[in-house]
Amino acid sequence: MDPTTPTDPTSLAADLADLSALVRACGREFPAAADRLDGLAHRLDEGSFHLAVLGQFKRGKSTLLNALLGEAVLPSSVVPLTAIPTMIRSGPARQVRIAFSDGRADEVVAVPDAAALAAVLARHVTEEENPANRLGVAEVEVLHPSPALSHGVVLIDTPGIGSTYAHNTATTMAFLAECDAALFLVSADPPITAVEVAFLREVRDRVPRLFFLLNKVDYLSADEAAAATGFLRRVLAEKAGLPTDVPVYPVSARRGLAAREAGDAEGWRASGCAEVADRLLSFLAEEKQQVLEASVRQRAAGIAAEVLLALRLALRALAMPIAELEEKRAQFDAALVEAEQQRRSAQDMIAGERKRMAELVEAQTAALRERYGVRLAGVAEAALADGDEAAAVEAMAAAVAEEFPRELEATAAMLDGELGRRLRVHHENAARLIGSVRTAAAELFDVPFRVPETEHRLEQRSRAWWVRRDVSLSPLVPIPAEVMERGLPRRLRERRVRERLERQAENLVRANVENLRWSMVQDLDAAIRTFAADLDGGLEDAVRATRGAIGAAVEARTRHEEAGRELAALREREIAALEEALARLGETDVRGSSPLPRPAIP
Ligand SMILES: Nc1nc2c(ncn2[C@@H]2O[C@H](COP(=O)(O)OP(=O)(O)OP(=O)(O)O)[C@@H](O)[C@H]2O)c(=O)[nH]1
Ligand SMILES: [Mg+2]
């Protein structure tokens, strides 16, 4: 099968369900394998693709999304408006779920039509009706039946950057890490600004795939639109280092929306939105879907190959003279002694990795503490120059609230990457060790088996270990001045103020960095524990499957010749069914000698 051909994910899901049922029915040695297959089905099911629309305020992001959805549901206006990221997923009927940052239960609202949906969204995500996010909304998720949301695409409306509402910019910046791809929207009038170029530079480093849309081309004639597109391309190349032929899609979101609402297919095409909907959305989603599906297929085939190995072993064992069988069992147990030694040394190495990572966390947080101490001293000094102690305290608190989450993100991202890189080597070693146990069994009983390749690509972007990231900041508790201080000479009083501010800064930094350090160490421990348990579990599965197969054969043979024959017939049937299921998954040579299809990665 050509792995670059996108396949129907529902049929893959069905194949996985069949395979899992089949494996489960093969007997008590295999529930773990069936569970792993169910895990893959879940992964496929939730394999959504986050596509955000990004841009400066009022470029028409919300209008464009409305055009793509086919109805005006996201609030749009002439004043800066969108204040909370809104995720729009595919669902059978319109529904809104609102999550709050203070841990209140989510609010789920079923909405009968577009107008009702628009009203609920306006109440929660706009600067007008929810100024400075008074309602404490953390995230809004919309379910919508639009076909634009097929292939697992999740469209995301983001607050515009660069408006007078600085918190909107901060919200969008913090959200970039969630985006798999983005449509970067600029408008024909005014042409791209310096603020947008600076924003683009940030985006470019954090979002893996970017597409450029030039909106509001309805203001321009055809010639002007061509000139504007050319200008935008030049700016993108010169100021943001993008290739000179980077595609730019001219659109009129407003006309697109009007055309969709009027059912005007020609107008829809003329607006440029059709191309975005047809080509871009499906291209992006398929690209992701393809990688995901190929990887799921490959892993499922690997699991099925392991089960097949155990079944073939059992069949071979059933045909063997008892004495030979016992001898093979002893040889397999001897091979396990070696594997056990390797397992111990792997666990030691993982423990060593934990220690080194913990040291890195300490070093990073110490550096952060130091950097922040200096930074806050500077902030306090500057505020004191033209204000009093209270102003300096306020300036420090503001600096922490504004800058600390970013620092924290950066440190966490760096450590995430580092742990991922380090564990990858151990992951490969563990897979090899587990494979060697199966290979030993296969060789002993002379049945074909190829160790499945491991695949990490999809995990690379997931934040495997940093799960409890807590960006809530420790507040500043002002240290009161002593009453008698007022009577002191000015120089002395100033020195006291400085000392107090210094202590304040120290407390603030210590409390916040300590929070971070503690949660990182917790997460690191959890990640290492899971990893070590996975290694032990995987090895145990491999051993259990082989021992189980031999044991069942010995038991059946000693019980009755008839029982042995019956079990052999059952195993043969199971093997045939599994081989068939494996062939459906796209594995051509079920004897396990041909390479599995590799995922197509652009
Ligand atoms: N002429 C014209 N106006 C448009 C177009 N798209 C959007 N607009 C108008 O531009 C204004 C801003 O649109 P919004 O969709 O609210 O922009 P936004 O980027 O979501 O704004 P924020 O959420 O504040 O960042 C509205 O008045 C829209 O009607 C277009 O293609 N042509
Ligand atoms: Mg908007």
Side-chain angles (χ1 to χ4, degrees), residues 214-218 220 225 249-257 259-260 264-276 278:
L214 180 69
N215 190 30
K216 308 197 185 181
V217 290
D218 50 286
L220 311 177
Y249 296 84
V251 292
S252 168
R254 181 185 274 176
R255 286 198 179 152
L257 175 59
R260 280 296 293 277
D264 166 12
E266 184 40 45
W268 173 237
R269 204 140 280 290
S271 76
C273 294
E275 184 163 4
V276 173
D278 299 348

Side-chain angles (χ1 to χ4, degrees), residues 55-64 66 74-83 157-161 163 168 185 215-219 251-256:
Q56 199 170 358
F57 67 102
K58 300 287 60 107
R59 294 308 186 244
K61 298 176 292 298
S62 302
T63 307
L64 175 76
N66 285 334
L74 293 157
S76 92
S77 153
V78 288
V79 295
L81 197 63
T82 308
D157 192 16
T158 62
I161 59 109
S163 75
N168 285 351
L185 201 66
N215 190 30
K216 308 197 185 181
V217 290
D218 50 286
Y219 282 141
V251 292
S252 168
R254 181 185 274 176
R255 286 198 179 152

Side-chain angles (χ1 to χ4, degrees), residues 118-137:
V120 174
L121 288 178
R123 265 206 304 286
H124 292 90
V125 309
T126 66
E127 202 53 61
E128 231 161 51
E129 297 190 43
N130 179 16
N133 195 10
R134 204 167 45 190
L135 301 175
V137 177

Side-chain angles (χ1 to χ4, degrees), residues 476-496:
L476 191 96
V477 184
I479 305 168
E482 296 159 36
V483 182
M484 55 172 289
E485 205 172 81
R486 280 191 216 120
L488 294 175
R490 191 162 147 246
R491 298 256 314 259
L492 201 55
R493 211 170 52 227
E494 277 178 11
R495 206 172 75 216
R496 291 269 183 116

